């Protein structure tokens, strides 16, 4: 558990340092993300983004367990 928390902390720290460059990547506005904009109402549900993030995290966890 300690190693997972340390790795998660390092990943969050790295993402914070690289944030100015990460926001330029069109990640989060992928085809498959649901976006509804109406007068007085805005709804955004990043379905495809969550699927990709889940797949990457699952792959990393699979690699780390070996």
């Amino acid at each position: 558990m300690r190693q997972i928390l340390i790795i998660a902390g390092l990943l969050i720290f790295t993402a914070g340092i690289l944030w100015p460059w990460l926001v330029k990547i069109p990640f989060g506005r992928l085809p498959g993300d649901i976006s509804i904009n109406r007068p007085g109402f805005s709804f955004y549900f990043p379905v495809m983004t969550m699927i990709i993030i889940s797949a990457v995290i699952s792959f990393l966890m699979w690699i780390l367990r070996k």
Side-chain angles (χ1 to χ4, degrees), residues 21-52:
W21 296 280
L22 291 175
V23 293
K24 294 179 183 178
I25 299 172
F27 200 63
R29 302 276 186 217
L30 298 174
D33 291 349
I34 298 171
S35 178
I36 300 172
N37 294 316
R38 295 187 181 169
F41 179 75
S42 179
F43 178 75
Y44 180 70
F45 188 67
V47 177
M48 189 58 68
T49 302
M50 289 191 304
I51 290 172
I52 291 173

Side-chain angles (χ1 to χ4, degrees), residues 9-20 22:
L10 289 173
L11 287 173
I12 291 171
F13 177 76
T14 304
I17 296 294
L18 298 175
W19 190 253
L22 291 175

